[in-house]
Amino acid sequence: MAEKVTAGPITSANGVREAVCIHTKKIFSSCKDKDCIEDLTFYPTATAQSVIDASQSIRGGRVELLHVGVDVEPVSFNRGFFTVDMRFYYRVILQAVNNGMRATEIEGLATFDKRVMLFGGESRAKVFSSYPVPGGADYPIDLTANLPTAVVSAVDPLLLCARIVDCSCGNCCDCTAVTGVPAGIAEAFDEPILFEPQTRRVCISIGQFSIVRLERGTQLLIPVFDYCIPSGSCQPVGSISCSSCDDPCEMFESVSFPVDDFFPAGIAECGADTPTNCCSCSGK
């Protein structure tokens, strides 16, 4: 049996200077996904709706990811696994074109719900800390300490298609009014958002890249070579735009997952030589 390594200096020819004990977040499982979301309802501002009512078409635009609300719940029939429910909130800016072919910029909100199931391990320990928690109680009660932490990384999505549709509830887009929008999201717009679906509305299709992981705080013994100093220059990230509505998902399928937007260059995608906790996600 190999001798157990303990924290402290190490004399080694491979460059390791010492072994140190750290407390960090260990990732128990993670997945990356590439969602093509068709016909999301665009919830406009009042001014934007008046422009839509007088417009003939949509000519391009962009989508900004404002926030992702995340909730973690244990899976009762599969110990150690958890569902991660996410709601993506988007600021959508479009160019509405009237009969005179003049474009007017309009903005509004769109949302996308997604659920994945990942392994998050089991822990019966409740963890308390002197680190201040906003709104925390003065006494040590924490009923969620056994849940792992869900972390969602995402980039601004690609706008694949945007179109104006004249319809009644039931034959286009989603006819339900979105509820539970955080106050901070509503305040990100200059005007109030019209959450009730309109007869003349805009539907958009977007492509969203995301990575979801479950992690827990744990103590690890790691080798230390030296301080970690950045060696590369920051590189700008380009964008892709397309407004074809013929088959937006087919176009999005040809776009490679932007690994370098989530990880430093040089880290490979999940493959035969990577841990088995690389898995796929699915939209709700």
Side-chain angles (χ1 to χ4, degrees):
M1 181 176 179
E3 183 180 353
K4 185 176 181 180
V5 178
T6 59
I10 293 178
T11 302
S12 173
N14 60 8
V16 178
R17 295 189 174 188
E18 62 176 325
V20 298
C21 187
I22 65 169
H23 184 275
T24 186
K25 293 286 188 179
K26 177 184 176 182
I27 299 175
F28 279 73
S29 62
S30 64
C31 60
K32 63 182 177 69
D33 216 349
K34 178 180 176 181
D35 292 298
C36 181
I37 311 130
E38 295 187 88
D39 288 342
L40 286 180
T41 297
F42 171 79
Y43 297 98
T45 63
T47 299
Q49 184 60 49
S50 64
V51 174
I52 293 170
D53 291 339
S55 298
Q56 301 301 310
S57 63
I58 299 295
R59 186 174 63 193
R62 64 186 187 276
V63 183
E64 174 190 355
L65 177 61
L66 294 176
H67 177 67
V68 181
V70 186
D71 183 58
V72 179
E73 295 291 340
V75 177
S76 58
F77 59 84
N78 204 344
R79 291 179 59 182
F81 282 82
F82 299 80
T83 57
V84 182
D85 288 289
M86 296 158 277
R87 170 166 285 186
F88 293 70
Y89 295 93
Y90 303 104
R91 183 205 305 273
V92 183
I93 300 174
L94 303 172
Q95 299 288 328
V97 181
N98 61 20
N99 284 327
M101 298 306 292
R102 295 187 58 183
T104 302
E105 189 172 88
I106 59 175
E107 71 171 6
L109 175 74
T111 66
F112 165 54
D113 291 333
K114 178 181 177 67
R115 168 178 287 179
V116 302
M117 184 172 69
L118 293 172
F119 179 73
E122 293 184 89
S123 174
R124 293 183 175 85
K126 293 185 181 294
V127 181
F128 308 101
S129 170
S130 61
Y131 188 81
V133 178
D138 293 331
Y139 48 89
I141 293 181
D142 186 352
L143 300 180
T144 63
N146 288 335
L147 292 178
T149 300
V151 179
V152 181
S153 302
V155 295
D156 286 343
L158 307 179
L159 179 63
L160 306 175
C161 169
R163 58 194 177 94
I164 294 177
V165 289
D166 290 293
C167 56
S168 59
C169 182
N171 60 6
C172 66
C173 292
D174 183 2
C175 62
T176 59
V178 65
T179 58
V181 176
I185 298 298
E187 292 169 359
F189 297 87
D190 294 333
E191 298 180 49
I193 298 294
L194 302 180
F195 291 114
E196 292 296 331
Q198 308 296 310
T199 300
R200 185 170 172 79
R201 68 186 73 168
V202 171
C203 293
I204 66 170
S205 296
I206 63 175
Q208 178 69 68
F209 296 102
S210 62
I211 291 178
V212 186
R213 67 178 187 266
L214 286 183
E215 58 187 30
R216 288 183 183 273
T218 187
Q219 295 183 62
L220 297 177
L221 186 66
I222 65 170
V224 174
F225 295 90
D226 207 335
Y227 287 104
C228 182
I229 302 174
S231 58
S233 301
C234 297
Q235 299 295 327
V237 178
S239 61
I240 300 176
S241 61
C242 180
S243 59
S244 173
C245 293
D246 293 337
D247 195 339
C249 287
E250 181 179 355
M251 189 283 293
F252 182 60
E253 187 63 29
S254 67
V255 181
S256 300
F257 193 94
V259 176
D260 289 345
D261 287 354
F262 294 89
F263 300 104
I267 297 182
E269 296 183 12
C270 295
D273 298 328
T274 54
T276 57
N277 62 4
C278 292
C279 57
S280 62
C281 307
S282 61
K284 210 170 186 180

